[in-house]
Amino acid sequence: MTDGSRLNRRGLILGAGAGLAASVLSPQALAQAAGRKIGYAIVGLGSYATRQIMPQFVNSERSRLTALVSGSPEKARTLAAQYGIPERSIYSYQTFDRIADNPDVDVVYVILPNSMHAEYSIRAAKAGKHVMCEKPMAPTVRECEQMIAACRQANRKLMIGYRSRFQAHNVEAIRMARGGEMGPTRVILAEHGFNIGDPTQWRLKRSLAGGGALMDIGIYSLNATRYLTGEEPIEVTAIEKTDRSDIRFREVDDTILFALKFPSGAVANCVSSYTSNHNRYRVVQQNGWFELEPATAYTGQQMRVAPRGQPAQPREIALGKNQFAGQLDHMAECILTNREPIVSGEEGLRDVRVMEAIYRSVRESRAVKLT
Amino acid sequence: MTDGSRLNRRGLILGAGAGLAASVLSPQALAQAAGRKIGYAIVGLGSYATRQIMPQFVNSERSRLTALVSGSPEKARTLAAQYGIPERSIYSYQTFDRIADNPDVDVVYVILPNSMHAEYSIRAAKAGKHVMCEKPMAPTVRECEQMIAACRQANRKLMIGYRSRFQAHNVEAIRMARGGEMGPTRVILAEHGFNIGDPTQWRLKRSLAGGGALMDIGIYSLNATRYLTGEEPIEVTAIEKTDRSDIRFREVDDTILFALKFPSGAVANCVSSYTSNHNRYRVVQQNGWFELEPATAYTGQQMRVAPRGQPAQPREIALGKNQFAGQLDHMAECILTNREPIVSGEEGLRDVRVMEAIYRSVRESRAVKLT
């Protein structure tokens, strides 16, 4: 593991990774790096990039938007004007590799369809840039490994866009879950899904998405079980319901229910869906439970806490820095202080490995062990 | 099926079974039967019988407590005095069959450890009595079939103690689920569990309980998915976590996560546990969800409803008759008007059949198809 933490024999992640990203940096380190902002190039100007990520640079402290990469010159030019990016820092997919010569770009942030993550992450590393890549890291374990190898070889950092790790309610939930707020964790329930629209979008094409709901939204359920336990699952079983006569699901999975066993004895029951609305997790500990709903939305997280025998009560959590800005700044701080991101390439690979096992469990109608 | 409903080709249960039990009876039928109360013998004077069932005869309209069967003469005598039951209507397990000669007893209500359900139900039928039996109906499908055959041969009614079918929030949830209140049902989440105490109790002995948490509390999750959909599952997959070094779980299952597929395309993700506290179900439909928590407790049910895009809101449900009294009266009314109980022996058998498949799925680490 390269994320500054380590696994003990029961598979529990130890170290700083569990805490708030900001707390990883010492005051000295921050002082050394004072004033410097890390420059980001955004690759892929879809709605997640333009509506969620780019507007958050203003709320970041260590990050600035310095370049754009797009297949649409007009869209790039309009956004560049809006964000004050010079013409020379606009790239197409053909001219992308020239980004190597742009000193304003420290990080390339890949927000492309999943099947393109590996190619652009590797090209970015070869161009000497640090890499931020959206989740899922890539459709296959093999590609994830190639991405990690490329960044390691180029001595560049690699971070996966697990924004919830920088969202205050989730950070608090991790503390409560791993800290045993109400005793050891027994059962985690994690459900994510939405009713997907436009049947022509890339998310519904296997060649671009690599998979369906599991890759896109179910990964939030899976990742939550892993960050809440701080453990790696040892066994998975899954069942799929996909209506192949629905034009949206000719190529990819709709609903998958999957269950996970963890080394500590905790288990998780999860939902991934492109037809059913879910955004929640509950952590059931020995002496009560707590829940986030919504859990991983862009905004609006709510926590309820129910000590055993008492009715559930809302618990207010101070919001702190916006999760998208927090994510950008975490990578910036890791670069400035030469630390490993808490959501490294290895972290992204682990989710992809479990997702491959989930698909195998569905395909072979059997439980799959993970080692 | 003998419960007055029938399955259509997609496995949906049609007919009156979905509604409030009381509504099954026409005013004419009730008038015909006016004044008559059905007499119950309680077999087994454990805490469920003495604390939940027996105190509810006062809230029933068609049922009265007329006999007791117990291995403890002293306990029986104390309770008989309390409930005004004559000495001649107290039986031991040895004298039980003489109940045939007691005209005050119409129904024998079996509230014994699971492994004794079949024997006492069959002896009751042979004694010419109608049979109410606690859930799980019996540890095996074979015993359930024997119970059904015995009651059929004796021309006696057989009802399983699924009290939630007479609980107002659950009745309303069934209406909302089957009626498509917010569109077709996509996903059901159902979780039941508690942290079991006394390691010497019969529930933890395989020879008496037949199984562990699944038989005792997980059955509520399973039964809920069936009564909410009105369908029979066609496939099940399950995973178990039982700490065999915990003295409570030398013989029986602790936590089982199981997933079900239904013919309509609905799926269910369920929890059964003897170490983790749960009492909830959520029905996620196309345009929103509703939830009961607690769902199947003795009292205190709460409903929340969340149309898509809106925050969850509590919904008040008028309580109506106590669920235990409603259950007693349903059987009484079925006898008085010669109807089949909505929770017949066949209904009990179907749960046991699925539970056998769940255990098989755990044992063989594979999905099990049900036909």
Side-chain angles (χ1 to χ4, degrees), chain A residues 33 38 47 59 66 107 120 124 143 180-181 208 226 273 279 295 322 327 345:
Chain A
I38 290 297
S47 79
N59 294 320
T66 55
V107 183
Y120 282 85
E143 288 166 283
E181 178 93 350
L208 289 170
R226 294 182 50 258
S273 181
N279 193 308
N322 171 282
Q327 172 178 289

Side-chain angles (χ1 to χ4, degrees), chain A residues 14-333:
Chain A
L14 307 171
L20 253 176
S23 69
V24 170
L25 279 185
S26 68
Q28 291 80 357
L30 277 169
Q32 278 183 352
R36 169 106 199 271
K37 281 198 176 190
I38 290 297
Y40 276 82
I42 301 288
V43 186
L45 302 179
S47 79
Y48 191 74
T50 58
R51 292 190 204 172
Q52 305 305 330
I53 303 295
M54 288 162 61
Q56 289 299 332
F57 279 95
V58 297
N59 294 320
S60 77
E61 294 157 44
R62 325 287 303 168
S63 313
R64 60 192 184 116
L65 179 55
T66 55
L68 299 176
V69 184
S70 173
S72 164
E74 193 166 351
K75 190 196 269 184
R77 226 170 287 130
T78 305
L79 287 162
Q82 192 181 327
Y83 284 93
I85 296 168
E87 179 75 25
R88 67 170 189 281
S89 292
I90 299 176
Y91 300 88
S92 70
Y93 295 116
Q94 287 70 43
T95 63
F96 171 73
D97 302 292
R98 287 189 214 150
I99 210 163
D101 307 321
N102 191 332
D104 293 338
V105 174
D106 299 287
V107 183
V108 168
Y109 189 170
V110 179
I111 317 183
L112 293 166
N114 306 339
S115 68
M116 300 165 76
H117 287 181
E119 177 187 346
Y120 282 85
S121 294
I122 292 167
R123 281 168 69 178
K126 285 185 175 161
K129 304 304 181 186
H130 300 287
V131 179
M132 175 98 89
C133 179
E134 262 313 308
K135 65 200 167 310
M137 185 172 171
T140 64
V141 164
R142 192 183 152 80
E143 288 166 283
C144 295
E145 289 169 342
Q146 290 167 342
M147 292 162 74
I148 291 168
C151 291
R152 188 175 294 141
Q153 197 169 356
N155 195 27
R156 298 291 85 181
K157 300 206 180 293
L158 171 57
M159 173 169 161
I160 311 302
Y162 289 110
R163 59 183 166 76
S164 295
R165 296 293 292 273
F166 307 95
Q167 197 284 324
H169 293 73
N170 282 272
V171 170
E172 174 63 3
I174 292 171
R175 189 195 66 73
M176 293 166 74
R178 298 198 199 175
E181 178 93 350
M182 291 179 280
T185 295
R186 302 295 196 202
V187 175
I188 295 174
L189 308 164
E191 299 119 25
H192 285 81
F194 62 95
N195 194 28
I196 198 163
D198 176 14
T200 67
Q201 65 186 287
W202 69 261
R203 283 180 177 77
L204 298 171
K205 312 266 181 223
R206 177 166 295 278
S207 60
L208 289 170
L214 181 61
M215 286 274 172
D216 188 54
I217 185 72
I219 191 174
Y220 286 88
S221 295
L222 168 59
N223 195 243
T225 69
R226 294 182 50 258
Y227 62 66
L228 291 165
T229 56
E231 297 177 59
E232 296 304 317
I234 52 175
E235 188 174 346
V236 57
T237 184
I239 198 166
E240 180 183 353
K241 192 280 297 173
T242 300
D243 178 0
R244 295 292 174 196
S245 72
D246 185 324
I247 192 174
R248 298 171 297 176
F249 306 121
R250 296 274 164 82
E251 301 186 12
V252 300
D253 45 290
D254 168 17
T255 302
I256 292 181
L257 310 183
F258 59 97
L260 303 166
K261 286 171 85 165
F262 291 91
S264 62
V267 291
N269 222 16
C270 301
V271 174
S272 164
S273 181
Y274 265 163
T275 52
S276 182
N277 283 275
H278 309 262
N279 193 308
R280 184 189 80 114
Y281 59 70
R282 179 179 292 194
V283 177
V284 186
Q285 297 183 316
Q286 185 175 281
N287 304 312
W289 56 257
F290 62 91
E291 174 174 273
L292 293 190
E293 182 165 27
T296 66
Y298 297 153
T299 59
Q301 273 76 356
Q302 302 276 349
M303 181 181 282
R304 295 196 303 152
V305 183
R308 185 160 57 178
Q310 296 175 39
Q313 297 288 346
R315 179 176 291 184
E316 290 301 318
I317 305 291
L319 269 179
K321 193 190 285 189
N322 171 282
Q323 61 184 321
F324 297 99
Q327 172 178 289
L328 294 168
D329 277 352
H330 178 65
M331 180 60 148
E333 289 160 3

Side-chain angles (χ1 to χ4, degrees), chain A residues 186-187 189 191 195 235-241 255 257-261 265 267-271 275-278 280 282 284 286 289 291 293 304 308 365-367, chain B residues 186-187 189 191 195 235-241 255 257-261 265 267-271 275-278 280 282 284 286 289 291 293 304 308 365-367:
Chain A
R186 302 295 196 202
V187 175
L189 308 164
E191 299 119 25
N195 194 28
E235 188 174 346
V236 57
T237 184
I239 198 166
E240 180 183 353
K241 192 280 297 173
T255 302
L257 310 183
F258 59 97
L260 303 166
K261 286 171 85 165
V267 291
N269 222 16
C270 301
V271 174
T275 52
S276 182
N277 283 275
H278 309 262
R280 184 189 80 114
R282 179 179 292 194
V284 186
Q286 185 175 281
W289 56 257
E291 174 174 273
E293 182 165 27
R304 295 196 303 152
R308 185 160 57 178
S365 295
R366 65 173 182 89
Chain B
R186 304 293 196 203
V187 174
L189 308 164
E191 299 119 24
N195 194 28
E235 188 174 345
V236 57
T237 184
I239 198 165
E240 180 183 352
K241 192 281 298 175
T255 301
L257 310 183
F258 59 97
L260 304 166
K261 285 171 85 166
V267 291
N269 222 16
C270 301
V271 174
T275 51
S276 182
N277 283 274
H278 308 263
R280 184 188 83 115
R282 178 179 292 195
V284 186
Q286 186 175 278
W289 57 258
E291 173 174 276
E293 181 165 28
R304 294 196 304 153
R308 185 160 56 178
S365 295
R366 65 172 182 90

Side-chain angles (χ1 to χ4, degrees), chain B residues 231-259:
Chain B
E231 298 175 60
E232 295 306 316
I234 53 175
E235 188 174 345
V236 57
T237 184
I239 198 165
E240 180 183 352
K241 192 281 298 175
T242 300
D243 178 1
R244 296 292 174 196
S245 73
D246 185 324
I247 192 173
R248 298 171 296 175
F249 306 121
R250 295 273 165 83
E251 301 186 11
V252 300
D253 45 289
D254 169 16
T255 301
I256 292 181
L257 310 183
F258 59 97

Side-chain angles (χ1 to χ4, degrees), chain A residues 317-351:
Chain A
I317 305 291
L319 269 179
K321 193 190 285 189
N322 171 282
Q323 61 184 321
F324 297 99
Q327 172 178 289
L328 294 168
D329 277 352
H330 178 65
M331 180 60 148
E333 289 160 3
C334 286
I335 292 166
L336 290 167
T337 61
N338 194 25
R339 304 252 187 152
E340 205 54 34
I342 62 168
V343 280
S344 63
E346 280 76 8
E347 175 67 13
L349 180 149
R350 286 180 206 117
D351 271 354

